[in-house]
Amino acid sequence: MFIGALEAGGTKMVCSIGNPQGSVLQRASFPTASPEVTIPQIVDFIGKFDVAALGIGSFGPLDLNPDSPDYGSITNTPKTEWQGYPLLRELSARLGVPAAIDTDVNAAALAEYTMGAGKGLSSLLYMTVGTGIGGGLVLDGKVVHGLVHPEIGHMFLAPREEDTMPDGICPFHSHCLEGLASGPAIEKRWGLSAKLMTEDHPAWALEADYLAQMCANMIVAVSPEIIVLGGGVMQQAHLFPRIRKRTLELLGGYVASPRLTPEGIDGYIVPPALGINSGVAGALLLGARALEARD
């Protein structure tokens, strides 16, 4: 049985064909143009396979209220052509299969919880740090939505005194996590892409501090059993020990757990066990759940 998966991003749409266990068999990618251009490309590729269901992990914000008439639609995205677009409804109707949708980070969080770094635990926080910053939280096997869905990338941080760009670059908020620590924020502040920076560049001490503030905030707010940090910026593996050390400093020993000690934290703040496949694996899981719900 085949499941279709869509990783809907602001830059590109990645379509995959796989199975309910998260294995990918075929994959294709298209630039994210207007819906009129992009949706037919997605339908054409996935429609070539006899998929039983479709799972979508999408950029947002999204309407994830099942009782809403706009459920599964993209809402206030900066990509104006996609504002209000009924992504779930359109793809499910055009492909003629049951479908499920969640944010891209929630899909990745679900995959890491089910078959990755959080397997066997009851809770997990997944953060992606790249062009933007977003987070997905899984508690007792359920992805947290709430009023809409968590926007952890827009939590407010305390800017460092040495930061030459203390307000950040977010057009909505001053000194939020995404505005201070995303890939574009790093490049704007230093005039250099993070990919071109050496490990001793002063950017990384600042980056580690901001990501550690997020980790400490989430530990005291929701107490996840593990924190997974993915995304392009986190390909800088040397960031992990810096973030772990600074998180412990910020917590000051207040949260008593063997995992929040110098000996235990290496297994607490970790990279994705599924690597770059967390998103697609999560979308396949969503598709499998849509099929189960229909049956």
Side-chain angles (χ1 to χ4, degrees):
M1 175 175 47
F2 291 153
I3 302 290
L6 172 63
E7 297 172 87
T11 302
K12 62 182 178 179
M13 299 281 182
V14 180
C15 303
S16 300
I17 307 299
N19 59 37
Q21 292 73 44
S23 298
V24 177
L25 307 175
Q26 296 282 344
R27 182 174 286 168
S29 178
F30 311 103
T32 304
S34 68
E36 292 74 21
V37 171
T38 308
I39 294 298
Q41 293 176 314
I42 296 169
V43 172
D44 180 64
F45 174 76
I46 296 179
K48 292 176 182 176
F49 303 87
D50 186 21
V51 299
L54 174 69
I56 305 167
S58 177
F59 69 93
L62 301 174
D63 185 335
L64 295 178
N65 179 2
D67 297 325
S68 168
D70 296 319
Y71 175 62
S73 296
I74 298 170
T75 60
N76 296 324
T77 174
K79 297 186 73 65
T80 56
E81 293 174 304
W82 290 86
Q83 287 180 0
Y85 188 78
L87 186 61
L88 176 67
R89 186 170 69 241
E90 279 293 317
L91 288 177
S92 180
R94 293 196 191 200
L95 290 168
V97 296
I101 191 171
D102 213 323
T103 65
D104 46 6
V105 288
N106 277 352
L110 177 63
E112 286 292 331
Y113 173 84
T114 304
M115 60 182 71
K119 187 176 181 180
L121 302 178
S122 65
S123 61
L124 171 144
L125 171 67
Y126 177 92
M127 297 294 300
T128 183
V129 186
T131 303
I133 299 181
L137 182 65
V138 183
L139 299 176
D140 295 324
K142 295 182 179 179
V143 178
V144 173
H145 290 152
L147 181 65
V148 280
H149 50 77
E151 287 283 5
I152 302 168
H154 292 273
M155 70 164 59
F156 299 111
L157 302 182
R160 297 282 294 183
E161 290 184 4
E162 68 270 25
D163 192 349
T164 58
M165 197 177 71
D167 287 337
I169 63 169
C170 177
F172 297 98
H173 316 111
S174 294
H175 55 85
C176 73
L177 174 60
E178 182 173 288
L180 289 171
S182 64
I186 296 171
E187 184 167 355
K188 176 74 172 179
R189 181 184 290 111
W190 300 101
L192 182 68
S193 169
K195 296 178 182 179
L196 301 177
M197 292 176 176
T198 58
E199 292 186 12
D200 60 352
H201 195 286
W204 300 123
L206 197 64
E207 183 73 4
D209 183 271
Y210 288 145
L211 293 176
Q213 286 191 49
M214 177 276 298
C215 289
N217 285 338
M218 294 305 293
I219 289 167
V220 297
V222 296
S223 198
E225 289 185 87
I226 193 167
I227 296 176
V228 182
L229 303 181
V233 171
M234 296 311 304
Q235 296 299 307
Q236 302 279 345
H238 61 88
L239 269 175
F240 280 93
R242 295 171 184 254
I243 294 167
R244 293 165 182 148
K245 180 176 183 291
R246 183 59 179 151
T247 298
L248 291 179
E249 291 172 352
L250 291 170
L251 290 173
Y254 179 72
V255 183
S257 167
R259 307 199 75 185
L260 296 176
T261 63
E263 297 75 26
I265 199 165
D266 283 5
Y268 181 72
I269 298 175
V270 299
L274 301 177
I276 62 172
N277 290 316
S278 301
V280 64
L284 290 170
L285 287 172
L286 289 173
R289 288 187 174 188
L291 186 61
E292 290 174 4
R294 185 198 67 177
D295 294 341

